[in-house]
């Protein structure tokens, strides 16, 4: 099954074809793994089966969360101002 690394900068795992080597993948790389390994890797939240999914960007996510928090604070301020 093909999976794409979308969270985290890199990941390494033992190659299922040649047990003596490791497979290193970077964010955005697509790897081919057996189904039993795919289930585990999907469960970690680091990989996705949707090969079109964009790579998660921690910095972008932090900015988005800060904007949402500022918006909630402003909405609360606006509600208080309308009450008083």
């Amino acid at each position: 099954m093909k999976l794409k690394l979308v969270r985290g900068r890199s990941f390494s795992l033992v190659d299922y074809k040649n047990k003596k080597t490791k497979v290193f993948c970077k964010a955005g790389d697509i790897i081919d793994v057996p189904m039993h390994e795919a289930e585990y890797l999907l469960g970690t939240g680091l990989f996705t089966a949707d090969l079109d999914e964009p790579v998660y960007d921690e910095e972008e996510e932090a900015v988005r969360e800060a904007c949402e928090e500022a918006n909630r604070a402003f909405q609360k301020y606006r509600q208080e101002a309308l009450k008083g």
Side-chain angles (χ1 to χ4, degrees), residues 9-45:
R9 297 184 196 279
S10 63
F11 194 84
S12 67
L13 61 150
V14 175
D15 186 3
Y16 74 95
K17 293 177 186 171
N18 179 359
K19 303 287 187 209
K20 295 180 182 175
T21 62
K22 282 190 173 183
V23 175
F24 294 97
C25 59
K26 293 182 261 178
D29 286 355
I30 297 172
I31 58 171
D32 192 17
V33 294
M35 190 60 136
H36 68 279
E37 289 183 11
E39 291 175 7
Y40 173 79
L41 292 171
L42 287 169
T44 65

Side-chain angles (χ1 to χ4, degrees), residues 51-67:
L51 303 180
D52 295 328
E53 185 173 327
V55 174
Y56 173 81
D57 183 356
E58 291 179 21
E59 189 173 303
E60 183 179 304
E61 182 69 14
V63 169
R64 185 187 63 76
E65 288 177 2
C67 288

